[in-house]
Amino acid sequence: MDELLVARNITKSFNTNGQRLHILNGISLTICRGEMIAVMGASGVGKSTLLNILGALDRPTSGEVIFEGADIFKKSDDELASLRNRKIGFVFQFHHLLPEFTAIENTLMPAMILRMDRKKARDIAEKTLADVGLSNRMTHRPGELSGGEQQRVAIARALMTSPDIILADEPTGNLDTHTGEEVYSLLKKINEVYGTTFVVVTHNEKLAARADRIIKMVDGQIA
């Protein structure tokens, strides 16, 4: 398979109260285009930290992340922001929707940042919301949507710029079992239909088993 992202010897540490706290301890992994990967491990082992580094939201203490053949951390902060907006989608446990905006307005946000043509952007947003089953909820604000519907809007927003990879941090962690399974099934469908690469942090072993590969983390390392 075609390599999309390669992490090499990633470490991350912080100084806290005069002590050095090591979060990631030399992680290396390869993610191929079109894969769906589940990342599992106990709380505090560094799963979210790893995801933030893979998505260029945070810089590692040492190591490199090669994305589409280039070391992303040789880029400036502005270049990283552009990379994130164009190439990487994010879905979090808490959807981070703007409460004053409708579903379609929230979905449009990445396109607005890219200054995409308004009509083209709206056409894409409408199709994307329809793809996630919200064609009849486009003008509703987050407060008028269920938890599962809000997470579907967040997924539509992540898909807006047709990213190469979507990083999802506990995307079902705030949902009941049935709704969580629906949302995970939606991610799997997007992976299969569009070939979008996914890295999903989850505690749910049943859902993780549906991924192509499971990566287990222990003490800041891949087990």
Side-chain angles (χ1 to χ4, degrees):
M1 295 176 72
D2 182 21
E3 290 182 356
L4 175 64
L5 186 152
V6 180
R8 294 180 182 143
N9 202 29
I10 297 295
T11 71
K12 184 67 178 181
S13 56
F14 302 94
N15 284 321
T16 176
N17 298 326
Q19 291 186 317
R20 195 72 173 166
L21 184 64
H22 299 282
I23 307 298
L24 300 179
N25 299 303
I27 284 186
S28 297
L29 74 150
T30 297
I31 298 167
C32 292
R33 198 176 294 275
E35 269 195 303
M36 187 167 197
I37 295 174
V39 180
M40 301 192 73
S43 296
V45 298
K47 302 185 301 296
S48 295
T49 301
L50 175 62
L51 215 63
N52 287 342
I53 290 172
L54 296 181
L57 290 170
D58 192 11
R59 291 178 181 267
T61 302
S62 65
E64 59 185 14
V65 174
I66 309 299
F67 182 77
E68 294 186 330
D71 184 350
I72 63 174
F73 292 115
K74 288 183 177 177
K75 298 178 183 291
S76 68
D77 288 346
D78 286 345
E79 288 172 328
L80 282 182
S82 177
L83 172 74
R84 287 193 300 269
N85 197 44
R86 291 181 296 107
K87 296 282 191 175
I88 304 170
F90 298 92
V91 180
F92 301 100
Q93 179 176 352
F94 300 99
H95 42 74
H96 299 302
L97 301 179
L98 297 173
E100 66 271 27
F101 292 119
T102 63
I104 194 164
E105 289 167 341
N106 270 285
T107 303
L108 281 165
M109 287 296 169
M112 295 298 97
I113 294 170
L114 276 180
R115 294 189 171 91
M116 191 184 293
D117 174 77
R118 282 181 177 272
K119 184 182 184 308
K120 178 184 177 184
R122 190 170 183 91
D123 287 347
I124 293 171
E126 288 179 355
K127 181 184 183 302
T128 306
L129 283 168
D131 285 346
V132 300
L134 293 178
S135 56
N136 62 340
R137 309 290 274 170
M138 294 186 190
T139 59
H140 290 68
R141 289 183 171 82
E144 302 169 313
L145 301 172
S146 69
E149 287 172 334
Q150 291 176 42
Q151 196 62 299
R152 285 170 183 261
V153 175
I155 293 166
R157 180 181 59 193
L159 289 166
M160 188 64 206
T161 58
S162 299
D164 292 296
I165 188 169
I166 290 180
L167 306 174
D169 194 355
E170 294 284 1
T172 65
N174 220 27
L175 305 172
D176 64 76
T177 301
H178 176 70
T179 306
E181 288 178 354
E182 285 187 338
V183 167
Y184 197 91
S185 292
L186 175 61
L187 299 182
K188 186 64 178 170
K189 178 182 175 184
I190 292 165
N191 166 251
E192 292 172 348
V193 173
Y194 296 106
T196 306
T197 306
F198 277 90
V199 180
V200 183
V201 167
T202 181
H203 281 101
N204 190 317
E205 292 187 8
K206 181 180 174 184
L207 298 183
R210 296 169 61 188
D212 299 318
R213 185 156 53 111
I214 298 174
I215 292 172
K216 292 192 176 181
M217 289 183 63
V218 177
D219 297 333
Q221 295 178 307
I222 294 175

